[in-house]
């Protein structure tokens, strides 16, 4: 029986056609990063304090500096062990500008007066950047609404994983991708136009649904179009493009300081992606699973022509494909047996941890006192080595140890960063970047490790269920970061570090999958083969196609 993987060897496992498709779909991953990390600049919260009209008038009349007026009129409160001007309180007195001269105002001492919440809105100290925080006054008691901007996006991610995952399997990858981009384009532009923040949150959730659907559909399409030996490489590089998008976001945000125009630019690529319906073919593998053999052959022949290869008539006539996931696959299959249950819980926690810590460290750049553009650029650049470290270690060392080590490094870096004083900023930034590198490695590794620990008939379903915890982590991350930093700026880092260390420890309970064939049945999971039990048949020393396993003294063919 000839399978599509056999045909790919003949037409070219990663030829010119697949490289063209890979480049086009990587642009989707690039723009996905802009939507994912845009909150750092769109939701930037500058230093702020209660607006007092009399003080503003006096500052202009007397030529005071901003620092002078804040020092005179804003009460000091304890923030992380230091006295700082309050962002949410003012003296409960009525200041009358006309009754005070410039000299009298300078000597004004209000420290004995009672305090109250801001009565006339807020005044912001920022240079040119206009975020939705400053436009809608989302500070103090309304600060939690900034968290919702990212949490609603992740809520959309969660729903999109299931909704568009079903649409892609039922109606095809290309049609699903088209629908996702229409949704993303409409919602992305609408966010930049609506006048109130509640509507922004609703549209943001629908935007997340479309973005996650298009990103996942492209990931699946890529892995189905290339040969077996290129799937891991393509998957890792496709995720690494997100790091490129993060770096590009710095330039966009620097030259586009208005959050609404930045939203328009980040959504504009979806208009280009609509043309992919004519430039990116449907997955032949999916067409075969739907018994649309003639269409699959037509596309496969075009790929062969673009790769300058020829298909043999024998293979064309005998072309079949692997059967789809078993219709009996269910959620219970992931928990029914001991090893499957253990793998599922560990993988779910690692998906949760990766998203929680990764997104938390990204957003933390926006609340530190450094230059947000430089800090964000540096933290984005350190992600690039992650993919190369993964590719270098997984075939030499294995999966488990690098995966666990990446989590341990991320956790330890979070702890150390929290303990380094702000006065040693270069060291604090360096350690934080190492943590960002570690969690990026863990995030990229959990994807393919997940697929190697489930049998074929439940593999896709298992990855979908486990990865849903990724979006749960993304929903909680803004609340942990933005709410707890008000108690102590470094407290979120302590929590992120503890979760990452626990995740790394749990990874050590997973089996090593290096050199082990992908499991086909639950028995392969519950009674795993050991690398020492696997041997190449004669003449197959480099790329074994079959294995012999010693079972109770007898040689069994696998």
């Amino acid at each position: 029986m000839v399978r599509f993987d056999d045909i790919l060897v003949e037409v070219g496992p990663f030829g010119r056609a697949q490289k063209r498709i890979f480049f086009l779909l990587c642009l989707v991953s690039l723009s996905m990063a802009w939507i994912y990390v845009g909150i750092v600049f769109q939701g930037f919260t500058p230093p702020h304090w209660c607006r007092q009209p009399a003080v503003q008038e006096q500052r202009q009349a007397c030529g005071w500096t901003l620092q002078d007026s804040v020092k005179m009129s804003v009460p000091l409160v304890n923030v992380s062990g230091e006295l700082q001007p309050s962002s949410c309180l003012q003296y409960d007195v009525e200041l009358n500008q006309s009754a005070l001269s410039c000299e009298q105002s300078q000597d004004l001492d209000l420290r004995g007066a009672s305090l109250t919440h801001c009565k006339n809105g807020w005044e912001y100290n920022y240079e040119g950047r206009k975020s939705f925080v400053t436009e809608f006054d989302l500070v103090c008691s309304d600060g939690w609404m900034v968290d919702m901007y990212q949490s609603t996006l992740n809520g959309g991610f969660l729903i999109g994983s299931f909704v568009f995952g079903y649409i892609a399997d039922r109606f095809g990858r290309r049609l699903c991708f088209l629908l996702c981009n229409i949704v993303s384009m409409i919602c992305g532009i609408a966010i930049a136009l609506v006048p109130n923040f509640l509507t922004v949150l609703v549209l943001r959730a629908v935007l997340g649904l479309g973005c996650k659907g298009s990103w996942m559909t492209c990931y699946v399409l890529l892995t189905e179009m290339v040969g077996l030996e290129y799937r891991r490489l393509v998957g890792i590089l496709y995720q690494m493009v997100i790091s490129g998008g993060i770096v590009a976001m710095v330039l966009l945000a620097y030259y586009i300081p208005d959050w609404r125009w930045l939203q328009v630019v980040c959504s504009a690529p979806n208009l280009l992606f609509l043309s992919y319906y004519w430039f990116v073919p449907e997955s032949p593998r999916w067409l075969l699973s739907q018994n649309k053999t003639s269409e699959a052959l037509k596309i496969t022949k075009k790929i062969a022509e673009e790769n300058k290869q020829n298909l043999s008539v024998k293979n064309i006539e005998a072309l079949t494909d692997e059967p789809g996931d078993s219709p009996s696959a269910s959620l219970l299959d992931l928990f029914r047996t001991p090893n499957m249950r253990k793998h599922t819980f560990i993988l779910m926690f690692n998906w949760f941890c990766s998203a929680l810590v990764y997104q938390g460290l990204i957003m933390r750049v926006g609340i530190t006192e450094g230059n947000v553009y430089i800090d964000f650029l540096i933290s984005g650049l350190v992600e690039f080595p992650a993919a190369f470290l993964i590719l270098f270690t997984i075939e030499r060392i294995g999966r488990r140890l690098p995966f666990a080590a990446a989590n341990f490094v991320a956790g330890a870096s979070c702890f150390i960063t929290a303990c380094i004083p702000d006065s040693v900023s270069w060291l604090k930034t360096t350690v934080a970047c190492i943590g960002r590198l570690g969690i990026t490695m863990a995030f990229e590794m959990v994807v393919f490790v997940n697929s190697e620990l489930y049998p074929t008939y439940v593999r896709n379903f298992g990855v979908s269920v486990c990865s849903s915890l990724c979006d749960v982590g993304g929903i909680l991350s803004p609340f942990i970061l933005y709410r707890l930093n008000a108690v102590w700026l470094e407290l979120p880092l302590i929590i992120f570090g503890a979760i990452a260390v626990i995740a790394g420890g749990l990874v050590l309970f997973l089996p090593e999958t290096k050199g082990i064939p992908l499991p086909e049945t639950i028995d392969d999971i519950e009674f795993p083969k050991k690398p020492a039990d696997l041997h190449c048949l004669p003449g197959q020393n480099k790329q074994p196609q079959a294995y012999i396993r010693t079972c109770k003294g007898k040689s069994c063919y696998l």
Side-chain angles (χ1 to χ4, degrees):
M1 181 172 65
V2 179
R3 302 183 185 277
F4 187 70
D5 283 327
D6 301 318
I7 295 292
L8 275 178
V9 174
E10 192 170 329
V11 304
F14 194 51
R16 181 178 177 180
Q18 288 98 327
K19 291 175 182 176
R20 174 182 61 83
I21 295 170
F22 174 70
F23 172 76
L24 292 175
L25 297 186
C26 277
L27 296 179
V28 178
S29 195
L30 186 76
S31 66
M32 171 71 167
W34 299 346
I35 301 298
Y36 192 62
V37 304
I39 187 176
V40 174
F41 301 100
Q42 293 177 303
F44 178 69
T45 303
H48 55 279
W49 49 87
C50 298
R51 180 186 292 114
Q52 300 184 68
V55 175
Q56 288 181 302
E57 294 175 12
Q58 194 80 334
R59 184 168 67 230
Q60 295 174 0
C62 301
W64 296 340
T65 65
L66 187 62
Q67 290 74 18
D68 288 338
S69 62
V70 170
K71 183 178 180 180
M72 179 196 72
S73 61
V74 177
L76 298 177
V77 294
N78 190 321
V79 179
S80 298
E82 297 181 5
L83 289 178
Q84 298 181 12
S86 174
S87 298
C88 304
L89 298 173
Q90 68 177 62
Y91 291 114
D92 191 14
V93 296
E94 293 294 335
L95 296 176
N96 188 344
Q97 184 265 343
S98 61
L100 295 173
S101 66
C102 294
E103 292 75 13
Q104 289 174 320
S105 299
Q106 286 280 38
D107 296 331
L108 187 64
D109 187 357
L110 300 174
R111 286 177 294 180
S114 60
L115 303 180
T116 185
H117 294 287
C118 298
K119 297 179 179 180
N120 301 294
W122 287 265
E123 189 176 4
Y124 298 95
N125 179 24
Y126 64 100
E127 298 178 0
R129 173 155 294 283
K130 184 179 180 181
S131 68
F132 61 76
V133 174
T134 60
E135 180 176 335
F136 297 110
D137 282 336
L138 302 180
V139 293
C140 298
S141 61
D142 290 331
W144 64 273
M145 297 184 73
V146 180
D147 311 353
M148 292 299 297
Y149 186 77
Q150 193 70 3
S151 294
T152 52
L153 179 75
N154 282 282
F157 285 170
L158 179 61
I159 299 172
S161 299
F162 293 98
V163 172
F164 283 108
Y166 170 79
I167 292 176
D169 286 340
R170 179 67 179 84
F171 300 103
R173 292 24 172 157
R174 192 169 63 151
L175 178 60
C176 178
F177 182 67
L178 177 65
L179 292 175
C180 288
N181 278 291
I182 292 175
V183 170
S184 298
M185 182 180 66
I186 294 175
C187 291
I189 299 299
I191 287 173
L193 300 175
V194 294
N196 62 80
F197 194 67
L198 180 60
T199 308
V200 168
L201 294 180
V202 174
L203 291 171
R204 181 81 167 166
V206 182
L207 174 65
L209 190 146
C211 287
K212 184 63 175 291
S214 63
W215 190 88
M216 285 188 59
T217 301
C218 290
Y219 185 88
V220 172
L221 183 59
L222 278 174
T223 57
E224 290 179 342
M225 295 285 280
V226 302
L228 181 63
E229 65 271 31
Y230 289 97
R231 288 179 192 167
R232 187 172 293 116
L233 174 64
V234 166
I236 292 174
L237 292 179
Y238 181 69
Q239 294 179 77
M240 190 183 74
V241 173
I242 291 180
S243 301
I246 291 175
V247 173
M249 186 66 186
V250 178
L251 296 177
L252 291 178
Y254 183 79
Y255 289 104
I256 308 174
D258 189 302
W259 77 273
R260 291 186 182 273
W261 281 109
L262 183 61
Q263 178 65 36
V264 171
V265 172
C266 291
S267 302
N270 288 289
L271 182 62
L272 170 66
F273 300 153
L274 294 177
S275 65
Y276 284 14
Y277 189 79
W278 293 274
F279 293 105
V280 176
E282 181 57 88
S283 166
R285 196 184 298 271
W286 177 82
L287 289 170
L288 288 170
S289 71
Q290 302 297 307
N291 297 319
K292 299 180 180 180
T293 307
S294 58
E295 295 180 42
L297 287 175
K298 184 178 179 180
I299 294 173
T300 305
K301 288 179 181 178
K302 288 184 177 180
I303 294 175
E305 291 174 4
E306 190 172 349
N307 291 344
K308 298 181 180 180
Q309 301 291 333
N310 294 314
L311 280 175
S312 64
V313 177
K314 179 180 179 181
N315 282 344
I316 292 176
E317 293 175 347
L319 181 61
T320 60
D321 195 36
E322 296 182 16
D325 287 349
S326 169
S328 63
S330 69
L331 184 65
L332 289 177
D333 292 330
L334 304 181
F335 300 93
R336 184 176 290 117
T337 55
N339 280 344
M340 286 283 286
R341 184 163 54 247
K342 179 182 71 173
H343 296 174
T344 299
F345 282 126
I346 293 176
L347 290 168
M348 289 173 73
F349 187 82
N350 270 271
W351 274 105
F352 172 81
C353 166
S354 296
L356 182 78
V357 179
Y358 179 78
Q359 186 170 283
L361 293 181
I362 287 178
M363 293 187 299
R364 186 178 182 275
V365 176
I367 65 173
T368 55
E369 296 182 356
N371 186 304
V372 65
Y373 299 103
I374 295 176
D375 291 348
F376 196 81
L377 177 63
I378 293 173
S379 64
L381 289 174
V382 299
E383 289 191 7
F384 284 98
F388 299 105
L389 287 173
I390 292 172
L391 294 173
F392 180 78
T393 57
I394 58 175
E395 298 301 336
R396 292 172 173 82
I397 302 175
R399 278 71 158 150
R400 183 175 57 181
L401 291 181
F403 190 10
N407 277 300
F408 287 141
V409 168
S413 298
C414 288
F415 288 136
I416 296 173
T417 302
C419 297
I420 298 175
D422 293 336
S423 58
V424 194
S425 59
W426 66 269
L427 181 60
K428 196 178 187 76
T429 300
T430 301
V431 177
C433 287
I434 294 174
R436 180 78 170 270
L437 173 64
I439 200 60
T440 301
M441 282 188 63
F443 211 161
E444 294 181 359
M445 289 194 71
V446 70
V447 180
F448 65 83
V449 169
N450 197 158
S451 64
E452 292 179 339
L453 288 173
Y454 284 125
T456 299
Y457 86 99
V458 77
R459 184 172 296 129
N460 290 344
F461 182 68
V463 173
S464 296
V465 171
C466 292
S467 64
S468 66
L469 269 292
C470 165
D471 300 316
V472 174
I475 292 172
L476 296 178
S477 185
F479 290 96
I480 293 176
L481 179 73
Y482 292 132
R483 295 311 101 209
L484 295 185
N485 85 85
V487 179
W488 178 35
L489 183 62
E490 310 299 355
L491 181 57
L493 282 180
I494 300 297
I495 295 176
F496 293 153
I499 293 175
V501 169
I502 293 172
L506 291 174
V507 168
L508 296 176
F509 290 95
L510 293 175
E512 178 57 67
T513 56
K514 175 179 176 290
I516 303 295
L518 289 176
E520 298 292 338
T521 66
I522 288 185
D523 282 346
D524 292 335
I525 300 294
E526 298 303 320
F527 308 101
K529 311 170 185 65
K530 297 179 181 179
D533 295 333
L534 302 175
H535 308 280
C536 301
L537 288 178
Q540 298 176 337
N541 295 324
K542 293 184 178 180
Q543 297 292 334
Q545 303 298 317
Y547 299 85
I548 298 176
R549 180 185 178 197
T550 301
C551 308
K552 296 182 180 180
K554 296 191 290 185
S555 295
C556 302
Y557 289 84
L558 303 178

